[in-house]
Amino acid sequence: MAGFSHLGGYVQPVLDLSTLNSPQREAVLHSGGPLVVFAGAGSGKTRVITFRVANLISEHGVAPWRILAVTFTNKAAGEMRERLLGLLGDQGGDVRVGTFHATCARLLRRHGEVVGLSKDFTIYDDQDQLALVKRVLRDSGLDEKRYQPKAMAGRINRAKQEVQGPEDIETPDAWSEVVRRVYTAYEERLHQANALDFGDLIYRTVRALESSETFRAEVVGRFSHVLVDEFQDTNHAQFRLVRLLAEGHRNLCVVGDDDQSIYRWRGADRRNILDFRASFPDATLVKLEQNYRSTQRILRAANAVIARNQDREPKELWTDNPEGDAIFVVRTMDERDEARLVVRGVRELMSQGQRLSDVVVFYRTHAQSRVIEEALRGANIAYRIVGGMRFYDRAEVKDLLGYLRVMTNPADDMSLLRIINTPTRGIGKTTINRLLDRAAQEGRGLWDLLQDDDVIAQFGSAARKRLGAFRALMRALRDVAASGAPLGEIGAELVNQSGYADMLRHDDTPEADARFQNIQELVASMDEFERERSDATLPEFLENVTLQTSADEQSGGDRVTLMTVHAAKGLEFPVVMVTGLEEQVFPFKGTDPWEDPDELEEERRLAYVAFTRAEQRLVLSFAAVRRIFGQQRVGIPSRFLTELPSEDVEWIGGRTSSPAPAPAREERHYEPDESYVDYGEGSDLAELEGLRRGMQVRHPKFGVGEVKEVAPGSPPRVSVRFPGWGTRKIIASYLEPA
């Protein structure tokens, strides 16, 4: 990839660009100004970004620390750093690489004082935010049943994604007025606690860049080139941030794929990449369409599905890879039969020499995983779930992290509330509520109140004693944190002094043993963090933990991977199995995709992402009958299956659905369905013989139904009963045989 030459005592990397294809090379060699790279799945976008950075340094003399590369996950950032080290040697470590949130946190800690931010602020995660919203609702006398905390927190987050403060919230109705009121109080409490939530990290950075010339000069002047990965996943605040960071030099390179935009529900706006040239009319456009991951058949299938979307940048993946195996589409009887298919498929692959870790099973919703898990456990096949409860989300770990936060930032009221009676030390709700009321009345923090002997003296003798003991404990722990001791020793001292270890030792249950192992693992992680960073501090450790995402978690051992399609971005596997490919499951009928084209296009992008994770084999399955969300539904094969190229697909079990599952059998379930008649695309039932009562027909909106009555006429009309829709009168030409 790169060699090194010595020029004037300076080690200069020499890049080998011969391994790049023509569009990749064009993106790498682009000299300056705005650049948008549409990078299809498996087209080597990370390679392009890292080579471009290396080229800027080796050929244009750009200082590494003046290049900022931004991505979405710590995993992606880590991979980028490793590649840069391979290309540039030690210089690669000087490139500023990080997630949006980590980058903004770093900028705010370094320069935030010019806009009134303390550098030792705490970062609140989603649970902390929810707890603070609940507290604001309580102190404001608002009913949580009427004003749900999660909905209120979500509204605040959306406001920050749009770079809106409380004063920007329009109040056309009573709900909006309450939102503004709660948002205002919420921000006041954050300020009082010297804390920022996740949304603040980007929101505050954008506001500071737009309002403070000093902050803008200090931050923008640091970088001469900005590169952004996965640009299709950016929201409004992130787009404004990127545009501000590139202000002046305009050396902005964004890389992404609108066909892989699948996070609209959390604020991502693919218009940011589609309309990039509207914001930067002089931008150069490059398309990466050569795929290095998948077989030709897999790519043809993915292209056929995504091509149905109207609102996209035209592109078509191609590859020099072999044709590969046919894509299997399997009709199963029900969801348990589908789970047995997964087990049989995994066993067959193992017999062929595949590793369990080569296989991933995708599903559209978490609810679909249960029966698959049960089947795998029953077959003694190891598996892991991506997107399950993270280590740092476990109660005992969150408790100790709460202690560590207060040890570094005693103004953090939310963490203080979490630990004040954990382990149980007799400080009850009445005492805590009195403290909260006093804090609200006087505008003081809880730790400030606890330091006030006059406040403590107003409680009864038992409460005074317990509050005094807690105060003494936290003072001692704060001394430990400030002592300069190694992080692992600080963690071990916390576990012992807090009483947490004793509490678990006295609970002689397997659950307590597991929890004790988790707190030991936390202490080990603190020690490991410091060994990796010789000058690491406790606030840096806490920041690193808070910024972790589920996508960053690794699971060792050889095991099958289970995950929703939403968790699949950036991953690849030799074998991909996509389950639940039925109408109302995938595409999912949350909001009606038939009536909302944007929703349906997002679902099609999800299918595209799922299919393009596959390197060698792609297996797609649907069930004739599925019980999901407590209801049994007739399974209509997903439209995405009918959009696949027929020459690349092998159907097993037929294409029709049955109103009831066939009896379970031990032998192979997937005999050809003799009842299936392929009438061809565009068939008109008005021209078919045998239209009669009891016949199964399919409608593009209502799915499969049963004919109740045929009314001759011009045009002929048919009364059809559709599950979930009732009986509808349909013009016969809109129906086709099921």
Side-chain angles (χ1 to χ4, degrees):
M1 284 191 193
F4 294 89
S5 62
H6 292 266
L7 298 175
Y10 181 74
V11 180
Q12 186 77 14
V14 180
L15 291 179
D16 178 12
L17 304 183
S18 64
T19 58
L20 304 177
N21 62 39
S22 180
Q24 289 176 334
R25 198 154 43 246
E26 181 184 357
V28 167
L29 297 177
H30 177 76
S31 59
L35 169 68
V36 55
V37 181
F38 285 91
S43 63
K45 67 178 178 65
T46 304
R47 183 178 181 84
V48 166
I49 293 172
T50 52
F51 265 76
R52 176 164 175 76
V53 170
N55 185 69
L56 288 171
I57 295 170
S58 63
E59 298 298 324
H60 298 275
V62 180
W65 53 88
R66 300 208 65 200
I67 300 174
L68 174 65
V70 186
T71 187
F72 276 84
T73 67
N74 290 322
K75 179 182 177 182
E79 181 184 351
M80 197 174 293
R81 289 191 197 96
E82 288 180 8
R83 293 200 186 190
L84 287 171
L85 286 169
L87 288 172
L88 297 167
D90 291 343
Q91 291 184 81
D94 293 330
V95 179
R96 300 300 186 249
V97 180
T99 65
F100 273 99
H101 291 102
T103 297
C104 288
R106 185 168 60 244
L107 293 175
L108 290 174
R109 290 199 190 279
R110 181 167 296 184
H111 307 286
E113 289 184 343
V114 302
V115 290
L117 284 176
S118 171
K119 64 180 181 180
D120 61 348
F121 58 80
T122 295
I123 302 174
Y124 280 3
D125 64 13
D126 293 341
Q127 292 184 27
D128 298 323
Q129 181 190 36
L130 187 60
L132 183 56
V133 169
K134 288 180 177 179
R135 181 179 168 189
V136 169
L137 290 171
R138 173 190 172 277
D139 292 344
S140 302
L142 296 169
D143 186 0
E144 289 189 14
K145 292 182 180 179
R146 183 176 180 183
Y147 304 102
Q148 296 184 7
K150 284 188 177 180
M152 192 65 67
R155 182 65 183 85
I156 292 172
N157 288 336
R158 287 195 298 275
K160 291 184 177 182
Q161 288 177 0
E162 294 298 319
V163 198
Q164 295 179 338
E167 69 282 359
D168 301 313
I169 301 295
E170 297 182 357
T171 56
D173 50 44
W175 162 257
S176 301
E177 185 64 47
V178 172
V179 169
R180 174 187 277 190
R181 178 181 160 195
V182 171
Y183 189 3
T184 301
Y186 173 82
E187 289 295 284
E188 291 172 351
R189 298 293 177 86
L190 280 177
H191 178 73
Q192 187 181 87
N194 188 30
L196 302 179
D197 62 26
F198 260 35
D200 272 327
L201 295 174
I202 299 172
Y203 165 73
R204 291 292 191 94
T205 304
V206 171
R207 280 291 178 92
L209 286 168
E210 292 179 341
S211 63
S212 171
E213 292 185 9
T214 303
F215 185 90
R216 185 166 59 251
E218 290 181 357
V219 170
V220 175
R222 291 176 57 85
F223 308 112
S224 62
H225 289 78
V226 178
L227 301 94
V228 186
D229 191 15
E230 303 287 3
F231 196 67
Q232 78 282 346
D233 293 335
T234 54
N235 58 36
H236 178 69
Q238 289 163 335
F239 179 75
R240 278 172 66 172
L241 172 70
V242 168
R243 190 168 57 188
L244 287 162
L245 290 175
E247 189 177 63
H249 58 72
R250 300 181 79 253
N251 292 321
L252 173 61
C253 170
V254 302
V255 183
D257 182 10
D258 59 300
D259 288 335
Q260 297 184 74
S261 178
I262 58 175
Y263 301 124
R264 188 174 76 153
W265 51 276
R266 70 183 189 194
D269 187 356
R270 62 197 176 86
R271 302 277 5 140
N272 289 342
I273 191 167
L274 286 174
D275 298 341
F276 185 81
R277 285 164 292 171
S279 300
F280 298 90
D282 59 333
T284 299
L285 183 148
V286 177
K287 293 183 184 180
L288 307 182
E289 296 172 288
Q290 183 175 0
N291 176 282
Y292 296 91
R293 175 188 300 158
S294 307
T295 66
Q296 293 189 44
R297 277 178 154 166
I298 291 170
L299 292 185
R300 283 198 294 267
N303 286 332
V305 171
I306 199 62
R308 300 287 183 119
N309 277 1
Q310 300 298 310
D311 188 17
R312 59 185 292 263
E313 180 70 27
K315 62 190 93 64
E316 186 166 346
L317 295 181
W318 63 276
T319 186
D320 286 331
N321 293 337
E323 279 283 297
D325 296 333
I327 296 165
F328 289 101
V329 178
V330 186
R331 175 180 181 260
T332 65
M333 299 304 164
D334 57 19
E335 70 274 10
R336 295 192 176 279
D337 197 24
E338 186 176 55
R340 290 191 288 269
L341 166 71
V342 171
V343 169
R344 286 196 301 274
V346 170
R347 283 175 168 168
E348 183 178 345
L349 290 165
M350 290 174 66
S351 70
Q352 297 172 2
Q354 296 271 190
R355 290 166 48 87
L356 292 178
S357 57
D358 290 341
V359 183
V360 66
V361 182
F362 288 134
Y363 35 80
R364 177 63 179 80
T365 66
H366 285 290
Q368 295 167 248
S369 73
R370 180 180 60 84
V371 291
I372 300 173
E373 288 186 69
E374 290 176 355
L376 291 171
R377 284 199 299 267
N380 200 29
I381 296 175
Y383 69 92
R384 68 180 182 120
I385 295 181
V386 174
M389 180 171 287
R390 299 182 296 146
F391 174 79
Y392 292 111
D393 286 336
R394 295 167 186 169
E396 60 277 7
V397 177
K398 292 279 288 184
D399 289 340
L400 293 181
L401 289 174
Y403 274 99
L404 292 170
R405 286 176 170 178
V406 176
M407 289 161 64
T408 61
N409 177 22
D412 183 356
D413 278 1
M414 302 314 303
S415 294
L416 188 64
L417 283 172
R418 183 180 186 96
I419 66 172
I420 193 170
N421 198 42
T422 304
T424 302
R425 51 178 60 91
I427 302 176
K429 288 185 178 180
T430 301
T431 300
I432 293 172
N433 286 336
R434 284 183 62 185
L435 284 170
L436 289 173
D437 289 339
R438 183 75 176 260
Q441 292 168 8
E442 299 181 8
R444 300 169 66 182
L446 292 177
W447 180 252
D448 185 33
L449 289 177
L450 289 173
Q451 306 312 301
D452 192 335
D453 291 335
D454 292 336
V455 172
I456 301 298
Q458 296 178 19
F459 289 86
S461 59
R464 285 200 307 271
K465 182 178 179 180
R466 292 160 183 164
L467 290 172
F470 176 71
R471 180 174 66 180
L473 168 65
M474 294 311 304
R475 285 174 173 173
L477 290 174
R478 279 181 50 76
D479 288 340
V480 172
S483 68
L487 295 185
E489 292 184 15
I490 292 174
E493 197 66 24
L494 163 62
V495 170
N496 291 323
Q497 288 198 35
S498 65
Y500 219 100
D502 288 338
M503 176 188 72
L504 295 176
R505 289 192 187 102
H506 294 152
D507 185 3
D508 190 20
T509 65
E511 182 184 1
D513 291 340
R515 295 180 69 195
F516 188 75
Q517 291 171 6
N518 287 336
I519 66 173
Q520 288 179 313
E521 184 63 23
L522 175 64
V523 174
S525 73
M526 296 174 69
D527 184 62
E528 182 178 332
F529 184 82
E530 187 165 54
R531 280 191 281 109
E532 293 176 350
R533 304 164 177 80
S534 58
D535 58 347
T537 64
L538 186 53
E540 288 174 343
F541 170 77
L542 292 170
E543 179 176 305
N544 182 70
V545 167
T546 306
L547 294 175
Q548 293 294 318
T549 66
S550 58
D552 300 320
E553 297 214 354
Q554 302 294 316
S555 180
D558 189 29
R559 54 189 65 210
V560 175
T561 300
L562 309 183
M563 66 173 75
T564 66
V565 184
H566 277 106
K569 284 285 294 294
L571 303 177
E572 58 187 37
F573 297 86
V575 182
V576 169
M577 306 178 77
V578 187
T579 61
L581 278 158
E582 302 131 34
E583 295 290 308
Q584 302 189 29
V585 178
F586 195 1
F588 182 66
K589 191 177 182 296
T591 58
D592 194 338
W594 298 273
E595 297 180 4
D596 186 345
D598 289 340
E599 287 287 342
L600 181 56
E601 292 211 347
E602 179 109 342
E603 292 292 307
R604 187 171 277 108
R605 290 193 293 272
L606 268 175
Y608 175 80
V609 167
F611 297 174
T612 55
R613 300 310 94 191
E615 298 173 344
Q616 302 166 11
R617 298 186 185 182
L618 179 60
V619 180
L620 314 175
S621 64
F622 67 99
V625 175
R626 182 178 302 276
R627 180 170 291 278
I628 190 169
F629 306 128
Q631 296 182 337
Q632 184 164 290
R633 298 175 177 173
V634 174
I636 305 166
S638 170
R639 68 191 65 202
F640 305 149
L641 298 177
T642 65
E643 294 166 1
L644 300 174
S646 59
E647 66 272 17
D648 294 317
V649 177
E650 182 175 336
W651 290 77
I652 301 175
R655 308 186 192 189
T656 61
S657 297
S658 170
R665 309 193 304 251
E666 289 298 319
E667 66 269 24
R668 180 178 172 91
H669 292 282
Y670 311 110
E671 299 299 325
D673 188 347
E674 296 178 357
S675 67
Y676 175 68
V677 180
D678 189 355
Y679 290 98
E681 188 175 341
S683 295
D684 188 341
L685 271 182
E687 301 175 1
L688 299 177
E689 297 180 1
L691 187 62
R692 64 194 181 278
R693 291 186 61 160
M695 185 177 180
Q696 297 286 307
V697 293
R698 180 182 290 110
H699 185 269
K701 177 175 180 177
F702 304 121
V704 170
E706 181 182 345
V707 175
K708 294 299 189 182
E709 184 180 356
V710 180
S714 184
R717 296 177 182 271
V718 187
S719 294
V720 185
R721 184 176 62 80
F722 297 98
W725 296 96
T727 300
R728 305 288 177 117
K729 285 188 177 180
I730 307 291
I731 296 174
S733 61
Y734 286 92
L735 300 169
E736 64 180 32

